Amino acid sequence: EAGVAQSPRYKIIEKRQSVAFWCNPISGHATLYWYQQILGQGPKLLIQFQNNGVVDDSQLPKDRFSAERLKGVDSTLKIQPAKLEDSAVYLCASSQKGTYGYTFGSGTRLTVV
Amino acid sequence: KQEVTQIPAALSVPEGENLVLNCSFTDSAIYNLQWFRQDPGKGLTSLLLIQSSQREQTSGRLNASLDKSSGRSTLYIAASQPGDSATYLCAGEYGGSQGNLIFGKGTKLSVKP
């Protein structure tokens, strides 16, 4: 089966600019996650969707981050305006409802200068 | 606060050695414990998942154990190979928070030929 697709692979922007990341999960996976991994740290959950509804966004900095999952398939994560501390790898993952097996994408590496 | 710690942060061994990676967690009410592998520029690959009712899981040369009472998990790699070089992350998942994996910072393993 195809894996979790993410784009772009790399992005460099200046602070205060906006940026968007895209994720296409594995077909049939109802649950989609966005994680942020800062260099030298483990990933941290930003937001979790079940179909197109938000299950958990308690760690999402809502003043600058937003995410949506239209039609319960693809998802977009946006940052506006970006700060230097947003430099990280943004990982998308998906899983089937009720299971604990996760498939991660290769991530988008964001550098804010 | 739920925290996961991994020791050591980095490990270098000669090819063929058996090795153990350590993971400790602060909240013993863990639902499951997962070990992932992360290669540079890649996403996370799930290696082993241990449910809270289990003590260990095995896959090929990998064996993971879970001791909830002591808040510890270990990943044992037998007969290490250069292809095992990667960062290994452990993550705890807690009941009622499917998808909110609490990750350690990882152990960077280098296996020298």
Side-chain angles (χ1 to χ4, degrees):
Chain A
E1 65 181 359
V4 175
Q6 289 190 246
S7 67
R9 288 298 309 276
Y10 307 93
K11 191 74 176 178
I12 301 175
I13 62 172
E14 295 183 349
K15 58 183 180 182
R16 292 187 289 274
Q17 285 188 325
S18 63
V19 64
F21 314 127
W22 173 83
C23 172
N24 180 241
I26 289 177
S27 178
H29 280 196
T31 312
L32 184 147
Y33 317 85
W34 283 101
Y35 280 83
Q36 179 194 56
Q37 186 176 22
I38 294 172
L39 186 64
Q41 306 286 321
K44 181 185 78 172
L45 180 69
L46 292 176
I47 189 167
Q48 175 184 349
F49 292 94
Q50 183 74 30
N51 296 310
N52 61 348
V54 175
V55 174
D56 183 357
D57 63 356
S58 58
Q59 299 186 93
L60 187 74
K62 298 181 186 63
D63 58 334
R64 298 183 300 106
F65 286 64
S66 64
E68 61 182 7
R69 190 183 184 196
L70 299 177
K71 301 180 181 178
V73 182
D74 294 5
S75 177
T76 302
L77 176 69
K78 297 180 181 177
I79 308 175
Q80 182 179 13
K83 293 185 175 181
L84 296 177
E85 58 262 36
D86 297 331
S87 294
V89 175
Y90 291 84
L91 295 163
C92 180
S94 68
S95 68
Q96 290 182 317
K97 183 179 179 182
T99 71
Y100 291 92
Y102 301 94
T103 303
F104 281 80
S106 297
T108 295
R109 181 176 297 276
L110 173 67
T111 302
V112 182
V113 297
Chain B
K1 181 182 177 182
Q2 295 156 344
E3 293 183 350
V4 175
T5 304
Q6 291 186 249
I7 295 173
L11 180 64
S12 181
V13 300
E15 181 177 3
E17 268 202 10
N18 302 324
L19 60 100
V20 174
L21 305 181
N22 296 294
C23 172
S24 61
F25 44 92
T26 55
D27 187 346
S28 62
I30 199 164
Y31 197 79
N32 65 54
L33 190 289
Q34 300 188 46
W35 284 92
F36 293 86
R37 168 182 172 143
Q38 186 170 34
D39 293 280
K42 302 282 184 66
L44 278 65
T45 300
S46 180
L47 297 174
L48 290 165
L49 182 153
I50 311 175
Q51 303 275 15
S52 61
S53 58
Q54 300 172 321
R55 294 297 297 258
E56 64 179 289
Q57 283 286 336
T58 298
S59 176
R61 295 183 293 109
L62 305 180
N63 175 275
S65 67
L66 175 64
D67 185 342
K68 288 179 58 179
S69 61
S70 67
R72 294 178 187 271
S73 176
T74 61
L75 178 66
Y76 175 83
I77 302 177
S80 59
Q81 303 171 359
D84 295 330
S85 298
T87 296
Y88 291 81
L89 295 152
C90 72
E93 190 161 21
Y94 293 84
S97 301
Q98 181 189 3
N100 191 0
L101 297 168
I102 309 298
F103 282 89
K105 294 182 179 181
T107 293
K108 186 174 183 179
L109 173 65
S110 177
V111 181
K112 305 294 186 183

